Amino acid sequence: DADVTQTPRNRITKTGKRIMLECSQTKGHDRMYWYRQDPGLGLRLIYYSFDVKDINKGEISDGYSVSRQAQAKFSLSLESAIPNQTALYFCATSGTQGGNQPQHFGDGTRLSIL
Amino acid sequence: LAKTTQPISMDSYEGQEVNITCSHNNIATNDYITWYQQFPSQGPRFIIQGYKTKVTNEVASLFIPADRKSSTLSLPRVSLSDTAVYYCLVGVPERGGYQKVTFGTGTKLQVIP
């Protein structure tokens, strides 16, 4: 979804480095999410935020932190990257207006940690 | 959380109708059923959502029996561009977001010329 932009699209880094993945959206949605995808495991929720002042841990938050800088921006940080955090990371948004609004996903950041 | 079970993979020839069934035996009364499509190197994309009976849009149909313990995504006359992974999700996003809506491993559909 072009309305949800993730940067960078690809990143290779070394163990122990601090990394930030950024997500911005133009959909005007309050709710934003970070997922990671590993082969054979589907998508797993890392963190989610319902508004700028609301941050919640997901299923697999250990080793990650997030910042909701504005309604449109939600960043994911790996304070000290380790190889098992190598994965495809997705940001998503969802709205709250009228019914079960679907999620909208960015095209992902492929992160490799050596 | 309602767990979903889907076939790991399916093959189909171009032009055929494809039906992908998802089992969700412990679906809760208020849960909705949502299907997403994911192409390689892209994020999942919403296809269709339903609560009961049948829902149809320009892309697909969703059949939900009365007991709601399963659902079937139907793709009419598939083309090569329908080759993707299809995810079935169960939950109640309206009540509090998608934090309790779980992605399974999906069904990898391969369309053959």
Side-chain angles (χ1 to χ4, degrees):
Chain A
D1 193 321
D3 296 326
V4 182
T5 303
Q6 293 184 235
T7 56
R9 290 297 313 278
N10 293 281
R11 177 80 183 270
I12 300 174
T13 192
K14 295 181 179 180
T15 298
K17 295 291 188 180
R18 183 178 188 275
I19 303 159
M20 179 180 287
L21 309 183
E22 299 190 3
C23 177
S24 63
Q25 52 115 346
T26 59
K27 301 195 75 67
H29 288 165
D30 288 325
R31 297 171 178 175
M32 297 187 73
Y33 312 77
W34 275 104
Y35 293 88
R36 67 176 279 177
Q37 186 173 38
D38 299 275
L41 292 178
L43 277 77
R44 292 182 291 169
L45 183 63
I46 306 172
Y47 270 95
Y48 61 98
S49 168
F50 283 177
D51 63 41
V52 175
K53 298 180 180 179
D54 177 79
I55 301 290
N56 302 281
K57 293 182 178 180
E59 178 186 356
I60 53 164
S61 60
D62 288 348
Y64 301 94
S65 62
V66 292
S67 174
R68 184 82 184 266
Q69 301 93 325
Q71 187 205 37
K73 295 183 182 296
F74 192 36
S75 61
L76 176 72
S77 294
L78 288 68
E79 297 300 327
S80 179
I82 55 177
N84 73 2
Q85 292 177 311
T86 292
L88 187 55
Y89 290 84
F90 288 102
C91 173
T93 73
S94 68
T96 57
Q97 301 300 320
N100 289 305
Q101 297 289 327
Q103 281 180 303
H104 297 264
F105 286 81
D107 283 336
T109 294
R110 187 170 297 278
L111 179 62
S112 297
I113 300 165
L114 306 178
Chain B
L1 301 178
K3 182 179 177 180
T4 60
T5 303
Q6 307 173 231
I8 294 174
S9 64
M10 296 179 67
D11 292 337
S12 177
Y13 287 102
E14 271 192 299
Q16 291 191 331
E17 179 184 74
V18 171
N19 295 309
I20 305 174
T21 297
C22 178
S23 297
H24 27 81
N25 290 318
N26 61 340
I27 188 169
T29 302
N30 296 322
D31 284 345
Y32 279 72
I33 300 157
T34 310
W35 285 80
Y36 284 79
Q37 174 192 56
Q38 186 180 23
F39 298 113
S41 300
Q42 293 186 22
R45 184 174 66 116
F46 172 81
I47 301 176
I48 197 166
Q49 184 180 76
Y51 182 78
K52 61 180 179 180
T53 64
K54 177 183 175 181
V55 179
T56 298
N57 62 21
E58 64 278 6
V59 176
S61 294
L62 178 59
F63 298 92
I64 306 169
D67 66 6
R68 304 200 326 122
K69 294 184 182 299
S70 66
S71 59
T72 299
L73 174 72
S74 180
L75 304 173
R77 298 179 298 283
V78 294
S79 64
L80 295 176
S81 63
D82 292 316
T83 294
V85 178
Y86 293 82
Y87 294 95
C88 165
L89 284 69
V90 172
V92 191
E94 182 180 12
R95 292 201 169 181
Y98 281 82
Q99 74 279 12
K100 293 186 178 180
V101 179
T102 304
F103 277 82
T105 55
T107 298
K108 187 172 184 179
L109 173 65
Q110 180 69 53
V111 179
I112 306 165

